[in-house]
Amino acid sequence: MRFPDVPDHEGHTTPVLPDGSLARSAELFTRDFVGYQATCSCGWTSRRRSPATPEGAKDAELQWYRHVMPLAAAAPPGWLVVKSDLLCEQIVNLTQERPLAALTLLSHVESWQRTLLDQAVAAARTGGASWAQVGSAMGITKQAAHERFRAEEPS
Ligand SMILES: [Zn+2]
C-alpha cells in the first residue's frame, strides 16, 4: 500500500505466525498464520493484531491508513516540492551571477513567505491542528511553534 506524497511509507498487511512473530516474505506461502498486523517500511508496526480472515486483512489495512494519514496531511504535493527546489536552485545561481538582484528577489520572497506562514498556521489551528502537529509539520518542537505563533492565534 502506498499513499501519494509520502513515498517513504509503504504499508503491508503482514501475516502473524503462530509464535507471534511477523512473517517475512519468504514464509508467507509456506506456513500457517494466525492473524494480520499492519507494518510500514518506516519501521512502524501496528499494536493491534487483526484476525486471519479477509476482514482482518482489511482491518490491518485500515490501521496502516491511520498511521499514514496524519503524515500525508503534512506532506506537500510532490510537484510543488519540485517547483520549490527549482526556485531555490535558480536563486542560488542568481546569487552567484547577480548578487544584488538575488537580494531584491529574496527580500520579496521573505515578505510573502512570512505572511503565508502566519496564514498557514492560523488555518491549521482553525482546522483543529494541535501545536504539536504544527511544530511537527515545520520540523520544530510544539513549544517552539506555540511561542512563535501564539500571538496570531484567532480568538
Ligand atoms: Zn510509515
Side-chain angles (χ1 to χ4, degrees):
M1 299 173 280
R2 285 187 176 278
F3 209 86
D5 304 323
V6 280
D8 297 339
H9 297 266
E10 184 178 350
H12 301 277
T13 51
T14 305
V16 181
L17 300 173
D19 69 0
S21 68
L22 296 174
R24 279 173 257 176
S25 51
E27 299 170 313
L28 292 185
F29 304 105
T30 57
R31 295 178 61 178
D32 291 334
F33 56 93
V34 296
Y36 288 106
Q37 226 162 321
T39 59
C40 186
S41 61
C42 72
W44 172 89
T45 300
S46 171
R47 273 183 249 156
R48 177 151 134 192
R49 183 183 298 174
S50 310
T53 60
E55 294 75 25
K58 283 274 171 218
D59 182 63
E61 224 171 88
L62 181 67
Q63 298 308 309
W64 180 77
Y65 277 104
R66 286 192 177 139
H67 157 67
V68 83
M69 283 307 285
L71 303 168
W79 63 268
L80 199 48
V81 172
V82 169
K83 280 191 173 189
S84 171
D85 290 348
L86 183 62
L87 178 63
C88 180
E89 193 183 308
Q90 289 171 331
I91 292 175
V92 166
N93 292 340
L94 185 62
T95 300
Q96 289 166 353
E97 293 158 16
R98 297 168 54 212
L100 290 175
L103 271 176
T104 303
L105 181 62
L106 285 169
S107 294
H108 179 68
V109 167
E110 189 177 40
S111 70
W112 57 254
Q113 186 272 344
R114 283 186 185 177
T115 304
L116 289 179
L117 189 61
D118 289 345
Q119 289 174 354
V121 169
R125 293 284 297 156
T126 302
S130 66
W131 285 113
Q133 288 172 308
V134 170
S136 172
M138 295 179 65
I140 60 177
T141 65
K142 160 179 141 178
Q143 288 79 9
H146 185 239
E147 279 165 29
R148 187 163 162 195
F149 295 103
R150 74 180 152 205
E152 332 287 338
E153 185 83 329
S155 48

